[in-house]
Amino acid sequence: MEGGGEKFKKAQRAMKDRSALAYLNDASIITRLKDLKYYQKTMKNDPWIRIIAPEITPPTLRDNTADVDRLIRGIKKCLHIDEVVIDFSLLKRLPHALRQYDYRINAILHKVQTGWRLIDILSSQNDSCIYGLAVDLGSSTVVIQLVDLKSQKTIDKKSFHNPQIEIGTDILTRIHFAAKRGGLDKLQSLLMERLNENIDQLAKMHNIRTDSIVGISVAGNTTMAHFFLGMDPYWLCREPYIPVINKPEHIKSSDLGLAINPEAPVLVFPNVGSYFGGDLIAGILASGITHQDKVSFLVDVGTNAEVVIGNCDWLMGCAGAAGPALEGGVADMGMMAGPGVIDKVVIDPVSSEFKIRTIENDPTVGICGSGLIDLIAQLFLAGMIDLRGKYVAGKCNGRLVEVEGVKHLVVVTPANSGTGQALTLSQTDIDGIIRSKAAMYTILTTITNTVNISMNDINKFYIAGTFGSYIDPQSAITIGMMPDLPLETYIPLGNTSLKGAGMALVSAQAKDEIYRIRDNITYLELNVNQEFMNLFSAAKFIPHTDSALFPSAKTGGS
Amino acid sequence: MEGGGEKFKKAQRAMKDRSALAYLNDASIITRLKDLKYYQKTMKNDPWIRIIAPEITPPTLRDNTADVDRLIRGIKKCLHIDEVVIDFSLLKRLPHALRQYDYRINAILHKVQTGWRLIDILSSQNDSCIYGLAVDLGSSTVVIQLVDLKSQKTIDKKSFHNPQIEIGTDILTRIHFAAKRGGLDKLQSLLMERLNENIDQLAKMHNIRTDSIVGISVAGNTTMAHFFLGMDPYWLCREPYIPVINKPEHIKSSDLGLAINPEAPVLVFPNVGSYFGGDLIAGILASGITHQDKVSFLVDVGTNAEVVIGNCDWLMGCAGAAGPALEGGVADMGMMAGPGVIDKVVIDPVSSEFKIRTIENDPTVGICGSGLIDLIAQLFLAGMIDLRGKYVAGKCNGRLVEVEGVKHLVVVTPANSGTGQALTLSQTDIDGIIRSKAAMYTILTTITNTVNISMNDINKFYIAGTFGSYIDPQSAITIGMMPDLPLETYIPLGNTSLKGAGMALVSAQAKDEIYRIRDNITYLELNVNQEFMNLFSAAKFIPHTDSALFPSAKTGGS
């Protein structure tokens, strides 16, 4: 650890919880948000998957109603409803189960359009615990969360790398692979097998039968949702960028080969389009912006920059993958978060010493996105790069080296590195970051211009995603990536994809809301926006050509 | 042919059309009934399976709605509906098909609770013919009827023996077989394989793809429906006689392995109980009694005697299998209809000569139920049997022989027989028929007494079933099997099971009505009726101990 003072070490210990796997524990982040109280309250009493104990009298000569119809009658009476749907796959098993349990049963059901659909029946003598899974279906990392559907409490979480990475780290490679013979099946089965393994491990660890997992809620980007469903992603990346489906419905776990209760409903978050997926719908749900009068931003700085603006009356969204400057993406700048990865940099204004924090305080092996933003901001403030992001050789204290004609700044020397190699930041890297930050700011400006709202009217700036959670808003403002708003405006939400999936798993109101969000959002197609390229050019300076936009920004040391 | 005069021969030629397979052509019987005009009219414009040509615009950057949602939008607009359901099994295939057909498609849908469910899409360039199957699922004979769902016209019919006969001719043997390991699967697959063979043959014969058969409507007794669905019939024949299901719903052809369009809905007629099946619900539908102010009877004299009484306001039904006297059943008295089987007998009152008609005028091989009723009536009128149905030796003109102490009447001599053996009717046979006819009349009396209606208030006496179609009402009245009503009261309806299945296949109104019929019928449980045995004893005379009940009946020749 270079230049670690006592104060910094204390902060670093406090931050240790926010280590590589800390993003799994984002509940603490979410629950401290006042805006989300709405959900906390309503979710408690509004489940769409329920276990009930209907009263079913055994048959007699005077009441010869058939077994299935007898069960349906009991459920209707118990729930005060008009329709109970039972799939054929479940029907045949029912009479034996009813008699085996002597007509004393618990019934597990979930709400459908006009009534409730039966998932399973259990003996009323048995443990009546039922569980659900919320899934954040990331293209890099998949997180599964086991939820007790009765108490609505999270029991455990588990994350694993998306096994499709072996086909390709980027999603486009996978889409091309899917077009090959058997490719799509391979991608789907890789995912399902790993998912099932992890579900099984989670179930075993908590001593529950996978059959008692009776619902699953899955949020992911549109391509991942297509892979999950085994649907052809071919047209997702080809103009005019059309998904197979926007609102996947009527799916049960056995349709997909999920190793949970075969009749369990599978809620796959709807998408708005190829580049605006269910993960972002989950983010909007989790952020609560649709329940606020004032206008907020929700930004997910992942592989793409996805931006939503709106309030309880309207919503507009766009996704950065449609913006040419974001090709290659922010995430290409460094490594994914993990032990030894730099996530915070401070350059001492006096000594020009680099104070570097790595995750879990391990020897430095790389730098993640939030670390890069810090680094660029600090380099600018120290005058080591200029307004255009170019290295100022005289300010770099001999840290600059030239490799194949490109300037590189040595951030960590081989002696201090965990890899034995120097960690360097090239001019090309910086140029990439500048393009990305310019794209982000341009998207934010384009969307506010489109809806005719001033940046100063933004009440909250929610930052979704693991990567986003670690961004220091001050650094992001310094480089002109995010608007110059009071720091308290910025609220990191952590893994909103998982949080949204969890909310929709336990609350009918939340589940209904994701479809309302989807149907009401206006998608701003950046590809066809003429203003974008002009704004983009102006945003390629640090912080911006128009310094009036960043009144609080410190100037660089140049 | 014994005693065939010119006149009889002429009648016999005219009757030739009503030969062994003539019952397949019962449309002529049905359509001449004024009561059924109601259906003829409403069915035309009320299909629940439809093919439509929704307008679907190809996707653009400005309209990036997903393929599936685009299709759903087009269908909703075309049908002016709010919900379109697409099963997951169909979803994956849709985007390829839509693009292959260049978004110019026909969509096949069927009505469900809250909207319409997609069955398939076709290129609008293709032939847009869609077909359905109506099935009479008899325990002896299965009849399938191919219907053009657009014109609602019957294209062809085909009948075959129920292949489950190889397990057992009677249904109880099959129920017991189903309890053996793999027994139920065997019974179901026997039926499905034979059904699929015949469907395939029918389709090939008319040069249609089985995929264009997009709906199937099946009426059968409760046990046959259970076999068809692969549901355990174990409890059907055990007190308190409980079916697995009364109203099978949400079933598609691929659930059952039917070789038609995999998404085709399967309408299985509901039942009222173990002994009151969908075949009778179909009969009630086909009879139209629920659309008449005046009270009618509907009687199906098959293996069991099933009786329904009612009008547009109320319905009551009972099934004879619940009556102890009907054990063994009417159908055990002779052979099933077929070439060479006697279906009409007249004994010349002067010469005592037997005038016998056989089906297709073939050499005599046996006698069917309607022939037996004629024969008993004629024997009684000729004085050859007395009031109790006992042979009067002096009147039998030497036709009586004694075999193992039991009197047998030689109906056809070996010389005139197609088998080389004499066809005889034993005293035991007659006793059985007397018990059966007494049971039938007792059921009719019990049910009229229960609802407090006089026999004379019966407006129409509909006779359902193949066997019933050939019964001569005059003979049935003569032996006291049916009440002494004007002959025009009796109306044979032929195969109402098939007819009802066909009506429900093409008309949403008819389909809805079968559930109304089911829900509104009061089932009279004869097992628990004390009056039955007293009435039964009185009805064991020819025609009855109370001759006032049969004012028009001729007395026997004794």
Side-chain angles (χ1 to χ4, degrees):
Chain A
M1 194 74 184
E2 289 186 58
E6 195 51 41
K7 209 173 163 188
F8 193 76
K9 274 186 183 162
K10 197 177 165 191
Q12 178 244 319
R13 275 196 300 274
M15 288 298 289
K16 213 168 177 181
D17 291 333
R18 296 178 62 183
S19 66
L21 293 172
Y23 61 87
L24 298 183
N25 300 310
D26 63 352
S28 60
I29 299 174
I30 295 291
T31 48
R32 72 167 187 259
L33 297 174
K34 283 179 192 166
D35 302 333
L36 293 181
K37 275 205 174 155
Y38 161 81
Y39 293 111
Q40 308 286 323
K41 239 189 304 183
T42 59
M43 276 164 51
K44 291 265 188 290
N45 302 309
D46 187 26
W48 60 275
I49 304 176
R50 288 185 59 178
I51 184 162
I52 59 168
E55 196 184 324
I56 299 169
T57 51
T60 62
L61 275 178
R62 299 218 168 261
D63 175 12
N64 73 337
T65 300
D67 281 325
V68 169
D69 304 73
R70 181 174 297 271
L71 172 64
I72 290 174
R73 186 176 62 186
I75 292 170
K76 282 182 179 174
K77 204 175 161 190
C78 181
L79 284 176
H80 306 288
I81 54 169
D82 287 332
E83 203 196 350
V84 174
V85 176
I86 305 182
D87 277 13
F88 186 73
S89 42
L90 184 57
L91 273 185
K92 284 160 86 166
R93 207 166 56 72
L94 286 181
H96 292 270
L98 278 172
R99 281 151 203 277
Q100 187 189 333
Y101 306 151
D102 207 14
Y103 294 90
R104 287 191 286 265
I105 59 133
N106 288 319
I108 306 163
L109 298 110
H110 74 98
K111 213 173 186 176
V112 289
Q113 200 80 6
T114 50
W116 290 71
R117 180 179 156 269
L118 188 66
I119 299 170
D120 210 346
I121 64 170
L122 308 170
S123 165
S124 64
Q125 309 296 307
N126 283 9
D127 179 24
S128 65
C129 285
I130 53 169
Y131 304 92
L133 286 170
V135 178
D136 164 30
L137 201 64
S139 52
S140 307
T141 306
V142 177
V143 190
I144 58 176
Q145 179 179 21
L146 182 67
V147 178
D148 181 327
L149 290 179
K150 278 165 82 181
S151 69
Q152 311 205 342
K153 282 187 181 138
T154 296
I155 291 173
D156 203 354
K157 289 180 195 177
K158 201 164 188 307
S159 76
F160 54 91
H161 286 300
N162 187 325
Q164 296 173 337
I165 290 172
E166 78 175 54
I167 304 298
T169 48
D170 69 303
I171 213 110
L172 213 58
T173 308
R174 297 182 209 171
I175 292 179
H176 291 316
F177 182 84
K180 293 182 187 169
R181 194 183 183 83
L184 178 56
D185 285 350
K186 168 83 177 172
L187 282 160
Q188 190 190 23
S189 61
L190 273 173
L191 183 62
M192 285 300 160
E193 280 164 25
R194 189 66 53 87
L195 202 49
N196 285 340
E197 279 166 28
N198 280 276
I199 292 170
D200 194 58
Q201 287 165 14
L202 207 52
K204 282 209 174 76
M205 194 181 304
H206 295 277
N207 203 23
I208 67 174
R209 291 178 311 111
T210 50
D211 254 15
S212 64
I213 301 174
V214 294
I216 183 166
S217 165
V218 180
N221 67 44
T222 305
T223 309
M224 279 311 303
H226 275 55
F227 288 143
F228 179 72
L229 296 169
M231 285 180 176
D232 197 336
Y234 184 87
W235 301 281
L236 287 176
C237 61
R238 287 168 173 87
E239 201 177 313
Y241 314 107
I242 304 300
V244 168
I245 193 162
N246 290 134
K247 295 189 229 179
E249 288 181 294
H250 313 291
I251 302 167
K252 58 184 187 177
S253 67
S254 57
D255 287 332
L256 302 176
L258 280 167
I260 59 175
N261 192 300
E263 299 294 329
V266 180
L267 169 61
V268 176
F269 271 61
N271 64 70
V272 178
S274 292
Y275 296 109
F276 198 104
D279 50 347
L280 203 46
I281 306 275
I284 298 170
L285 177 71
S287 73
I289 63 174
T290 54
H291 292 276
Q292 301 174 36
D293 293 328
K294 293 185 180 167
V295 175
S296 299
F297 258 128
L298 170 69
V299 172
D300 190 338
V301 197
T303 308
N304 305 324
E306 291 154 342
V307 173
V308 174
I309 190 169
N311 63 5
C312 55
D313 294 323
W314 57 271
L315 278 175
M316 176 172 279
C318 67
L326 276 184
E327 273 168 14
V330 174
D332 277 4
M333 298 187 295
M335 294 177 74
M336 282 168 60
V341 170
I342 298 170
D343 72 340
K344 183 81 197 158
V345 179
V346 176
I347 300 176
D348 190 296
V350 179
S351 67
S352 295
E353 192 185 6
F354 281 38
K355 295 176 182 176
I356 287 174
R357 189 182 71 198
T358 65
I359 292 169
E360 296 194 7
N361 201 17
D362 273 14
T364 316
V365 294
I367 188 163
C368 69
S370 60
L372 270 175
I373 291 168
D374 268 4
L375 181 56
I376 305 285
Q378 292 292 310
L379 289 174
F380 177 69
L381 294 176
M384 294 180 184
I385 55 174
D386 64 16
L387 284 164
R388 298 166 303 133
K390 299 300 177 191
Y391 279 123
V392 180
K395 294 281 190 169
C396 290
N397 302 333
R399 284 178 179 263
L400 272 194
V401 293
E402 198 145 324
V403 182
E404 292 174 4
V406 179
K407 288 189 182 113
H408 284 65
L409 182 95
V410 177
V411 181
V412 181
T413 60
N416 288 314
S417 151
T419 63
Q421 307 274 319
L423 176 74
T424 63
L425 181 72
S426 72
Q427 185 62 58
T428 316
D429 288 338
I430 296 180
D431 294 348
I433 299 163
I434 297 290
R435 275 199 306 275
S436 294
K437 80 96 187 170
M440 170 58 81
Y441 190 78
T442 306
I443 292 172
L444 296 173
T445 311
T446 305
I447 203 164
T448 47
N449 287 356
T450 304
V451 296
N452 199 23
I453 286 212
S454 153
M455 281 292 179
N456 295 321
D457 293 334
I458 300 299
N459 185 48
K460 294 289 174 197
F461 195 113
Y462 295 108
I463 303 170
T466 310
F467 169 45
S469 293
Y470 298 100
I471 293 177
D472 182 336
Q474 183 60 69
S475 294
I477 294 170
T478 300
I479 68 166
M481 181 183 181
M482 291 181 182
D484 193 1
L485 300 172
L487 290 184
E488 62 271 22
T489 310
Y490 291 92
I491 298 173
L493 297 178
N495 186 346
T496 50
S497 184
L498 185 66
K499 181 69 191 174
M503 289 164 70
L505 175 67
V506 298
S507 159
Q509 196 167 349
K511 179 169 174 281
D512 289 347
E513 182 150 336
I514 64 176
Y515 297 103
R516 265 201 306 278
I517 290 171
R518 197 223 85 89
D519 290 344
N520 291 323
I521 200 162
T522 304
Y523 184 71
L524 180 65
E525 182 58 72
L526 293 179
N527 274 343
V528 293
N529 193 298
Q530 299 298 324
E531 196 184 2
F532 189 86
M533 288 313 292
N534 301 338
L535 289 170
F536 178 62
S537 298
K540 278 205 290 189
F541 287 77
I542 301 177
H544 198 273
T545 47
D546 182 0
S547 62
L549 292 170
F550 288 82
S552 81
K554 298 166 194 162
T555 49
S558 57
Chain B
M1 195 75 186
E2 289 186 57
E6 197 51 42
K7 210 173 164 186
F8 192 76
K9 275 184 181 161
K10 197 177 165 192
Q12 177 242 316
R13 275 196 300 274
M15 287 298 288
K16 214 168 176 179
D17 291 333
R18 297 179 63 183
S19 64
L21 293 173
Y23 60 86
L24 299 182
N25 301 310
D26 62 352
S28 59
I29 299 175
I30 295 292
T31 49
R32 72 166 187 259
L33 297 173
K34 281 181 192 166
D35 302 334
L36 293 181
K37 276 210 172 151
Y38 160 82
Y39 294 111
Q40 308 286 324
K41 237 189 306 182
T42 59
M43 275 163 52
K44 291 264 189 292
N45 302 308
D46 187 26
W48 60 276
I49 304 176
R50 288 185 60 178
I51 183 162
I52 60 168
E55 195 184 324
I56 299 169
T57 51
T60 61
L61 276 177
R62 299 217 169 262
D63 175 10
N64 74 335
T65 301
D67 281 325
V68 169
D69 304 73
R70 182 173 297 271
L71 173 64
I72 289 174
R73 187 178 61 187
I75 292 169
K76 283 181 178 174
K77 204 175 161 193
C78 182
L79 284 175
H80 305 290
I81 54 169
D82 287 333
E83 203 196 350
V84 174
V85 176
I86 305 182
D87 276 14
F88 185 73
S89 42
L90 184 57
L91 273 186
K92 284 160 86 166
R93 209 166 55 71
L94 285 181
H96 292 270
L98 278 172
R99 281 151 203 277
Q100 188 189 331
Y101 306 152
D102 207 14
Y103 294 89
R104 288 192 286 266
I105 59 132
N106 288 318
I108 306 163
L109 298 109
H110 74 98
K111 214 173 184 175
V112 290
Q113 201 80 6
T114 51
W116 290 71
R117 180 180 155 268
L118 189 66
I119 299 170
D120 210 346
I121 64 170
L122 309 171
S123 165
S124 64
Q125 308 297 307
N126 283 10
D127 179 24
S128 65
C129 286
I130 53 170
Y131 305 91
L133 286 169
V135 179
D136 164 30
L137 200 65
S139 52
S140 307
T141 305
V142 177
V143 191
I144 59 177
Q145 179 178 19
L146 182 67
V147 178
D148 180 326
L149 291 179
K150 277 166 82 182
S151 69
Q152 311 206 341
K153 283 188 180 134
T154 297
I155 292 173
D156 202 353
K157 290 179 193 177
K158 201 164 189 307
S159 76
F160 54 93
H161 287 299
N162 186 326
Q164 296 174 337
I165 290 171
E166 77 175 55
I167 305 297
T169 49
D170 69 302
I171 211 110
L172 212 58
T173 308
R174 297 182 209 171
I175 292 179
H176 292 316
F177 182 84
K180 294 182 186 171
R181 194 183 183 83
L184 178 56
D185 285 349
K186 169 83 176 170
L187 282 159
Q188 190 190 24
S189 61
L190 274 174
L191 182 62
M192 284 300 161
E193 281 164 24
R194 189 66 54 87
L195 202 48
N196 285 341
E197 279 166 27
N198 280 276
I199 291 169
D200 194 57
Q201 287 165 14
L202 207 52
K204 282 208 174 78
M205 194 181 306
H206 295 278
N207 202 24
I208 66 174
R209 291 177 311 111
T210 49
D211 255 16
S212 63
I213 301 174
V214 294
I216 184 167
S217 165
V218 180
N221 68 44
T222 306
T223 309
M224 278 310 304
H226 275 55
F227 288 143
F228 179 72
L229 296 170
M231 286 180 176
D232 198 335
Y234 185 87
W235 302 281
L236 288 175
C237 62
R238 288 168 172 88
E239 201 178 313
Y241 314 108
I242 304 300
V244 167
I245 193 162
N246 291 133
K247 295 189 228 180
E249 288 180 295
H250 313 290
I251 302 167
K252 58 183 186 178
S253 68
S254 58
D255 288 333
L256 302 175
L258 279 167
I260 59 174
N261 192 299
E263 299 294 328
V266 180
L267 169 62
V268 176
F269 272 62
N271 64 70
V272 178
S274 293
Y275 296 110
F276 198 103
D279 50 348
L280 204 46
I281 304 276
I284 297 169
L285 177 71
S287 73
I289 63 175
T290 53
H291 293 275
Q292 300 174 38
D293 293 329
K294 293 183 179 168
V295 175
S296 298
F297 258 129
L298 171 69
V299 172
D300 190 336
V301 197
T303 309
N304 305 324
E306 292 155 340
V307 173
V308 174
I309 191 169
N311 63 5
C312 55
D313 294 323
W314 57 271
L315 278 175
M316 176 172 278
C318 67
L326 275 185
E327 275 166 12
V330 173
D332 277 3
M333 296 187 295
M335 294 175 72
M336 282 167 60
V341 170
I342 298 171
D343 71 341
K344 183 81 194 158
V345 179
V346 177
I347 300 176
D348 190 297
V350 179
S351 67
S352 293
E353 192 185 3
F354 281 41
K355 296 176 181 176
I356 287 175
R357 190 183 70 198
T358 64
I359 291 170
E360 297 194 5
N361 200 19
D362 274 15
T364 315
V365 295
I367 189 163
C368 69
S370 60
L372 271 173
I373 292 169
D374 267 4
L375 181 56
I376 305 286
Q378 292 291 310
L379 289 173
F380 176 68
L381 294 176
M384 295 179 183
I385 55 174
D386 64 14
L387 284 165
R388 298 164 304 133
K390 301 298 177 191
Y391 280 122
V392 181
K395 293 280 190 173
C396 290
N397 303 331
R399 286 178 178 263
L400 273 192
V401 293
E402 198 146 323
V403 182
E404 292 173 5
V406 179
K407 287 191 183 112
H408 285 65
L409 181 96
V410 177
V411 181
V412 181
T413 60
N416 289 314
S417 153
T419 63
Q421 307 274 319
L423 177 74
T424 64
L425 181 73
S426 72
Q427 186 61 58
T428 315
D429 289 337
I430 297 179
D431 293 350
I433 299 162
I434 298 290
R435 275 199 307 276
S436 294
K437 80 95 188 171
M440 171 57 81
Y441 190 78
T442 307
I443 292 170
L444 296 173
T445 311
T446 305
I447 203 166
T448 47
N449 287 357
T450 304
V451 295
N452 199 23
I453 286 213
S454 154
M455 281 292 180
N456 295 321
D457 293 334
I458 300 299
N459 184 48
K460 293 290 175 197
F461 195 113
Y462 295 107
I463 303 171
T466 310
F467 168 45
S469 292
Y470 298 100
I471 294 176
D472 181 335
Q474 183 60 67
S475 294
I477 295 169
T478 299
I479 67 167
M481 181 183 180
M482 291 181 182
D484 192 0
L485 300 172
L487 289 184
E488 62 271 23
T489 309
Y490 290 94
I491 299 174
L493 296 178
N495 186 346
T496 51
S497 185
L498 185 66
K499 181 70 189 173
M503 289 164 69
L505 175 67
V506 298
S507 159
Q509 198 168 348
K511 179 169 173 281
D512 289 348
E513 181 150 337
I514 65 177
Y515 298 102
R516 266 201 306 278
I517 290 170
R518 197 222 85 90
D519 291 344
N520 292 322
I521 200 161
T522 305
Y523 185 70
L524 180 65
E525 182 58 72
L526 293 178
N527 275 344
V528 292
N529 191 299
Q530 298 298 323
E531 195 184 4
F532 189 86
M533 288 314 291
N534 302 337
L535 288 169
F536 178 62
S537 299
K540 279 204 290 189
F541 287 76
I542 302 177
H544 198 275
T545 47
D546 182 359
S547 62
L549 291 171
F550 287 82
S552 81
K554 298 167 191 162
T555 50
S558 58

